Amino acid sequence: MLETAKTARVWDTLERSYRARIERGAAFADGKTVRRDEIVSFLEAVIEPGDRVCIEGNNQKHADFLASSLAKTSTDAIRDLHIVQSNIALPPHLDVFERGTARRLDFCYAGPQGLRMARLVGEGKIEVGAIHTYLELYSRYFCDLTPHVSFVAADAADADGNLYTGPNTEDTPAIVEATAFKSGVLIAQVNRLVDKVPRVDVPGDWVSFVVEAPKPHYIEPIFTRDPAVITEVQVLMAMMVIRGIYEKYGVTRLNHGIGFDTAAIELILPTYAQDLGLKGKICQYMSVNPCPTLIPAIESGFVESIHCAGSELGMEAYTAARSDVFFTGRDGTMRSNRIFCQLAGHYSDLFIGSTLQIDLEGNSSTATLSRITGFGGAPNFGSESRARRHGSEAWLKAGREQRLSGEMPRGRKLVVQIVETFGDGMSPTFVERLDAWELQKTFDMPLPPVMVYGDDLTHLVTEEGIANLLLCDTMEEREQAIRGVAGYTPVGMKRDREMVARLREKGAVQYADDLGVDKRFATRDLLAARSIKDLVAWSGGLYDPPSRFRNW
């Protein structure tokens, strides 16, 4: 009999590393509270070269003090970091790569820093692991991208390290769980230190250290859209969406993307949709941030419940006063959670959002030449939920329309892209070939950076009309349906008019007249609120918009 020598293995290397880091960091802290003027030395003591570091930077909330402090550390002490971060939004997020502190990056979105990121990637200063969706990156925190050290932001902490995140919880739960339960060091920057937190959002024994930042953490009001900027073209598209999609399918559970197009839909619910008798029949349950343009629909009784990925500056008092609608803690403030909101949106009946380019298969992308923006949550919201098994009117009706071979019936999630045929600078939205193909080559990506794949898309809405891709039997019909609503773009001008006419007969292409939409009423008069001031009035004074949106 052969005897196999058993090699001794140490099973607590991560735990021993954690204890050593905590011991080194304790020299710069009083208990769990790091002395703010020693934050750079503290980070140099706790973080090791080559570490995987997660910086909370999402759609709105940012651990900005910790991020800027990391950018000030010595590259002799900290180098070659692997940053895992959902949103690259602030200059310090890229400063660490410019200085050589960090080398590799896995992220989701980089809108504000997209141009600079493209330059740094081109210069070889950033190695991009992958551009993820939010859920995709969060999932990898619990798999092969688990952080060694994580920075999070919270509103308040007590001496034991209990954290109160307030309305802007966002990514915090995913980061905390992955770090704290895999022997990682969790560092929280807080706006204030208190004797007792109003609500325990993160237990103190999960938190390694806290530091009181010199000013409140940065929050970007990205979901605020001024109704004064909404155009009559957007009002027309909103009318077509309500008649041709929301009313037709009976959409009650949905997610709205960010943009003036969806804001227009929200603002004509209390007027146009009300006149159509649709209250109680559409738009009752939403997965979306507390967008100020939803206030009139909430006050009018259209929207019954909203789960939010994050909060929105100025909406804190309003959400607290509408606890029947928003998910609210015993302390009276809203609790957001980006992961759960993404999951709720994934299994909703409909997603509608905008994009920058669409090709002849319906593939869409927000990535154009020389800019790496990323995806955020749109690919999760804007994808067919193939694992869904529960039925609803909209899901089942879309499934019946879908052209599939075989006898097994299935439901279908509605995925809608709403765009004008020409974008900024009169660049055509519809193209024969996405810029994503060039970006794949330029930045050596494994695949073209597509946001929503064409086979996930069910409807396209433009000022021309609606293309219902569910009713297209062939790829040729699909192409012509897209051309049929592409307007006077080069793509639209190449339409086969006879085929588009046939597609119109079977409902795969519908124009305003086909939907019973009278263009004469597509004016700003249809908006329930035409200014930020109107939204404040609708809220009864509870909405307190940021100063940049005040013009009265």
Side-chain angles (χ1 to χ4, degrees):
M1 179 182 293
L2 295 175
E3 292 187 5
T4 303
K6 187 175 182 180
T7 303
R9 176 176 172 179
V10 178
W11 294 96
D12 64 345
T13 54
L14 293 176
E15 177 63 23
R16 288 189 292 112
S17 172
Y18 173 79
R19 291 173 185 167
R21 294 170 191 259
I22 295 299
E23 185 176 345
R24 295 197 300 266
F28 305 94
D30 300 315
K32 286 192 174 185
T33 305
V34 178
R35 294 184 287 275
R36 188 168 64 202
D37 58 350
E38 296 183 83
I39 186 64
V40 172
S41 298
F42 164 78
L43 293 178
E44 291 174 347
V46 169
I47 300 173
E48 299 176 359
D51 270 350
R52 192 178 301 118
V53 176
C54 179
I55 302 174
E56 182 165 24
N58 44 52
N59 260 346
Q60 298 169 285
K61 183 177 71 169
H62 295 273
D64 54 342
F65 174 61
L66 288 172
S68 61
S69 298
L70 180 64
K72 297 174 184 175
T73 58
S74 168
T75 52
D76 291 332
I78 303 176
R79 61 190 177 278
D80 296 329
L81 298 182
H82 180 177
I83 303 296
V84 290
Q85 180 174 344
S86 62
N87 195 341
I88 307 298
L90 306 176
H93 295 159
L94 294 182
D95 290 347
V96 292
F97 294 95
E98 194 106 53
R99 299 179 71 252
T101 307
R103 175 175 51 84
R104 189 170 177 83
L105 173 66
D106 281 273
F107 73 109
C108 301
Y109 184 73
Q113 299 294 324
L115 290 173
R116 185 183 177 197
M117 176 174 289
R119 176 177 61 80
L120 291 174
V121 171
E123 293 173 357
K125 293 183 177 180
I126 298 179
E127 297 176 11
V128 176
I131 306 174
H132 303 71
T133 72
Y134 286 135
L135 282 180
E136 184 180 9
L137 183 60
Y138 303 152
S139 297
R140 292 189 70 186
Y141 291 169
F142 295 90
C143 188
D144 57 333
L145 292 183
T146 305
H148 299 106
V149 178
S150 289
F151 302 160
V152 297
D155 181 72
D158 62 21
D160 293 325
N162 295 305
L163 302 182
Y164 170 63
T165 56
N168 281 87
T169 303
E170 299 213 40
D171 295 12
T172 307
I175 298 171
V176 167
E177 290 261 342
T179 307
F181 291 91
K182 199 68 170 178
S183 298
V185 177
L186 185 72
I187 307 165
Q189 75 167 70
V190 298
N191 298 338
R192 55 201 173 102
L193 294 170
V194 296
D195 293 331
K196 181 181 172 69
V197 292
R199 180 182 79 210
V200 177
D201 288 308
V202 178
D205 57 359
W206 298 3
V207 179
S208 307
F209 294 100
V210 300
V211 59
E212 186 177 23
K215 60 181 180 181
H217 56 255
Y218 180 77
I219 299 179
E220 174 66 24
I222 67 170
F223 288 86
T224 298
R225 293 293 180 269
D226 188 344
V229 185
I230 294 174
T231 67
E232 293 187 345
V233 169
Q234 289 162 338
V235 173
L236 172 62
M237 292 194 297
M239 294 168 70
M240 289 193 287
V241 167
I242 288 175
R243 287 307 308 265
I245 301 176
Y246 290 10
E247 180 182 20
K248 173 185 175 180
Y249 293 95
V251 176
T252 59
R253 301 179 304 171
L254 68 160
N255 167 257
H256 275 187
I258 308 172
F260 288 101
D261 301 318
T262 48
I265 298 171
E266 293 157 8
L267 287 171
I268 68 170
L269 288 175
T271 56
Y272 185 64
Q274 173 77 30
D275 289 345
L276 292 172
L278 296 179
K279 187 165 80 171
K281 298 178 181 178
I282 65 170
C283 301
Q284 292 172 284
Y285 308 98
M286 300 189 71
S287 309
V288 68
N289 274 41
C291 305
T293 45
L294 277 170
I295 292 173
I298 295 170
E299 296 299 306
S300 300
F302 262 87
V303 181
E304 293 185 21
S305 181
I306 299 176
H307 185 266
C308 302
S311 187
E312 186 69 3
L313 283 175
M315 287 288 283
E316 295 85 359
Y318 181 78
T319 57
R322 300 292 182 268
S323 58
D324 281 354
V325 174
F326 297 96
F327 287 74
T328 307
R330 295 267 59 86
D331 67 310
T333 62
M334 189 186 78
R335 160 85 173 192
S336 62
N337 187 305
R338 188 167 300 282
I339 299 87
F340 289 155
C341 188
Q342 288 273 316
L343 287 172
H346 181 66
Y347 287 103
S348 65
D349 295 327
L350 174 142
F351 164 77
I352 182 168
S354 299
T355 189
L356 296 179
Q357 285 188 339
I358 300 174
D359 69 12
L360 299 179
E361 293 181 4
N363 300 304
S364 64
S365 183
T366 53
T368 57
L369 293 176
S370 302
R371 181 184 292 269
I372 302 179
T373 52
F375 308 123
N380 292 119
F381 286 135
S383 66
E384 161 66 337
S385 310
R386 295 188 182 275
R388 177 174 164 177
R389 294 295 183 268
H390 70 280
S392 65
E393 179 184 348
W395 188 70
L396 294 171
K397 187 167 187 175
R400 288 191 292 270
E401 284 189 344
Q402 184 172 226
R403 298 305 206 243
L404 288 175
S405 59
E407 297 183 359
M408 183 60 67
R410 291 187 65 169
R412 186 65 160 83
K413 181 179 177 180
L414 295 162
V415 178
V416 184
Q417 294 278 260
I418 178 170
V419 295
E420 293 183 43
T421 54
F422 287 91
D424 293 340
M426 290 303 292
S427 59
T429 304
F430 293 88
V431 294
E432 302 277 345
R433 184 178 173 87
L434 296 175
D435 286 356
W437 290 98
E438 290 299 317
L439 289 174
Q440 179 192 13
K441 291 187 292 185
T442 301
F443 298 110
D444 193 26
M445 297 177 177
L447 295 169
V450 171
M451 185 177 70
V452 175
Y453 284 107
D455 56 1
D456 282 329
L457 192 65
T458 64
H459 294 76
L460 268 172
V461 181
T462 73
E463 70 272 23
E464 293 286 311
I466 298 177
N468 183 344
L469 304 180
L470 292 171
L471 296 177
C472 295
D473 294 308
T474 65
M475 289 303 294
E476 184 182 12
E477 285 192 352
R478 185 184 188 88
E479 175 184 326
Q480 290 301 322
I482 292 172
R483 290 187 188 275
V485 297
Y488 291 96
T489 63
V491 164
M493 297 294 283
K494 292 181 181 178
R495 72 185 67 177
D496 181 329
R497 296 187 180 278
E498 290 186 3
M499 181 175 283
V500 170
R502 292 197 299 271
L503 291 172
R504 189 176 178 185
E505 287 178 4
K506 71 175 187 177
V509 173
Q510 291 182 299
Y511 299 127
D513 291 343
D514 304 324
L515 298 167
V517 172
D518 191 334
K519 292 183 178 180
R520 294 175 299 173
F521 295 109
T523 70
R524 285 181 45 80
D525 292 339
L526 206 57
L527 299 173
R530 297 167 209 165
S531 67
I532 292 289
K533 185 177 181 180
D534 287 348
L535 294 175
V536 174
W538 268 98
S539 75
L542 291 169
Y543 175 41
D544 182 23
S547 58
R548 76 173 86 164
F549 294 102
R550 289 180 175 271
N551 59 1
W552 67 92

